[in-house]
């Protein structure tokens, strides 16, 4: 079983490639959270993988929340690994994963860091098309090597120093546009996709418009994957390109 969390498709693509090559099932952590599904039978599975992006050099809150509630049947002898996608470095996310799993009685045998296009556009802009293409091609080459090593059970070492926080803290999704909250421009069509994409159910459609409230993990799925590019965060994302992995099919979480 390969569990994955993904907002823009980087980790989804990697997880689905690994699952297909290894003949293992895969499941979305976001969908599991929204559906309240925490009981999983992995009897007969040879692998137990966790594939997710690094958030502020630690775990995304949804990954931590899922592991904290995870109840496995048939955990016996599986090779347990993590693949941590990141823009430059996974920081302390490997150790954060080890500690979260250990608290649930699950070992971590190793894993890999996979550098992919950084798309946290609250901090910086996406690279140009040529550089984006280069990074995608480089990540594809690295992913092929990771898949071969996972199938051969030759895992890498993703341990590091203890994380300052077990996961990136949630922040209040609501608030004013001036204070840096999410908001929808007049380009919004009211399609409701953002509501379906949000792993923590922070978005509700009211009167054909999205409204944000509750604890947000800042995955930016709503912002990047809006088909009308109608979602902004404060004013800092205005005019910045959006991103989704070209090989990942869009899958609303609920």
């Amino acid at each position: 079983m390969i569990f994955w969390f993904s907002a823009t498709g980087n980790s989804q693509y990697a997880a689905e490639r690994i699952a297909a090559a290894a003949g293992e099932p895969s499941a979305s952590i976001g969908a599991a959270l929204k559906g309240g599904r925490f009981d999983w039978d992995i009897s007969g599975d040879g692998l137990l993988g966790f594939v997710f992006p690094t958030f502020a050099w630690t775990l995304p809150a949804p990954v931590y929340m899922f592991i904290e509630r995870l109840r496995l049947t048939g955990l016996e002898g599986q090779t347990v690994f993590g693949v941590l996608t990141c823009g430059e470095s996974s920081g302390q996310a490997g150790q954060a994963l080890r500690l979260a799993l250990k608290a649930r009685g699950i070992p971590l045998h190793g894993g890999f860091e996979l550098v992919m296009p950084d798309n946290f556009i609250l901090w910086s802009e996406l690279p140009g098309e040529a550089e984006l293409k280069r990074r995608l091609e480089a990540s594809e080459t690295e992913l092929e090597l990771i898949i071969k090593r996972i199938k051969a059970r030759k895992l890498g070492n993703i341990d590091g120093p203890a994380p300052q926080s077990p996961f990136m803290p949630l922040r209040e999704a609501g608030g004013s546009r001036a204070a840096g909250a999410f908001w929808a421009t007049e380009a919004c069509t009211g399609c409701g996709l953002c509501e379906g994409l949000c792993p923590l159910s922070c978005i509700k459609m009211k009167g054909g418009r999205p409204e944000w409230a509750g604890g947000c993990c800042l995955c930016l799925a709503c912002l990047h994957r809006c088909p009308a590019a109608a979602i902004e965060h404060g004013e800092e994302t205005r005019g910045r390109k959006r991103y989704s992995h070209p090989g990942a099919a869009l899958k609303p979480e609920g």
Side-chain angles (χ1 to χ4, degrees), residues 30-119:
L33 285 172
K34 291 190 83 162
R37 185 181 178 189
F38 303 108
D39 292 286
W40 295 83
D41 187 349
I42 60 170
S43 303
D45 295 344
L47 297 170
L48 175 59
F50 297 85
V51 183
F52 56 87
T54 302
F55 279 18
W57 302 283
T58 187
L59 301 182
V63 174
Y64 182 86
M65 294 164 67
F66 175 72
I67 293 174
E68 192 177 37
R69 296 164 175 79
L70 181 60
R71 296 180 294 269
L72 295 174
T73 301
L75 177 62
E76 185 177 357
Q78 287 89 353
T79 298
V80 185
F81 69 92
V83 173
L84 287 49
T85 63
C86 56
E88 292 182 359
S89 167
S90 60
Q92 294 86 48
Q95 186 67 2
L97 176 62
R98 181 178 296 281
L99 294 172
L101 292 174
K102 182 179 180 180
R104 304 297 297 155
I106 303 170
L108 179 65
H109 300 124
F112 304 92
E113 184 179 271
L114 177 60
V115 175
M116 301 186 85
D118 188 349
N119 49 75

Side-chain angles (χ1 to χ4, degrees), residues 31-229:
L33 285 172
K34 291 190 83 162
R37 185 181 178 189
F38 303 108
D39 292 286
W40 295 83
D41 187 349
I42 60 170
S43 303
D45 295 344
L47 297 170
L48 175 59
F50 297 85
V51 183
F52 56 87
T54 302
F55 279 18
W57 302 283
T58 187
L59 301 182
V63 174
Y64 182 86
M65 294 164 67
F66 175 72
I67 293 174
E68 192 177 37
R69 296 164 175 79
L70 181 60
R71 296 180 294 269
L72 295 174
T73 301
L75 177 62
E76 185 177 357
Q78 287 89 353
T79 298
V80 185
F81 69 92
V83 173
L84 287 49
T85 63
C86 56
E88 292 182 359
S89 167
S90 60
Q92 294 86 48
Q95 186 67 2
L97 176 62
R98 181 178 296 281
L99 294 172
L101 292 174
K102 182 179 180 180
R104 304 297 297 155
I106 303 170
L108 179 65
H109 300 124
F112 304 92
E113 184 179 271
L114 177 60
V115 175
M116 301 186 85
D118 188 349
N119 49 75
F120 194 70
I121 62 171
L122 272 58
W123 289 354
S124 60
E125 295 193 38
L126 288 171
E129 290 300 322
E131 177 60 16
L132 191 62
K133 182 174 183 290
R134 186 196 69 78
R135 294 185 190 184
L136 284 168
E137 290 173 348
S139 69
E140 188 70 27
T141 300
E142 183 62 22
L143 180 57
E144 289 286 353
L145 294 174
I146 288 172
I147 289 172
K148 289 179 181 178
R149 291 189 62 182
I150 289 173
K151 292 175 68 176
R153 306 302 195 265
K154 295 181 179 179
L155 304 180
N157 180 12
I158 53 173
D159 281 339
Q164 293 184 344
S165 174
F167 60 89
M168 182 174 134
L170 298 177
R171 58 161 290 176
E172 173 54 44
S176 69
R177 168 177 163 184
F182 289 100
W183 59 285
T185 71
E186 292 305 312
C188 174
T189 64
C191 72
L193 178 62
C194 53
E195 182 179 20
L197 286 170
C198 183
L200 298 183
S201 301
C202 295
I203 305 172
K204 302 296 182 186
M205 297 298 293
K206 295 184 180 180
R209 303 276 297 179
E211 292 187 4
W212 286 260
C216 172
C217 67
L218 286 180
C219 71
L220 305 187
C222 60
L223 186 150
H224 280 290
R225 293 197 147 181
C226 173

Side-chain angles (χ1 to χ4, degrees), residues 226-249:
C226 173
I231 296 175
E232 304 285 356
H233 184 273
E235 297 295 335
E236 64 262 49
T237 57
R238 273 188 174 276
R240 292 186 172 177
K241 292 189 299 182
R242 276 37 174 174
Y243 170 85
S244 60
H245 193 286

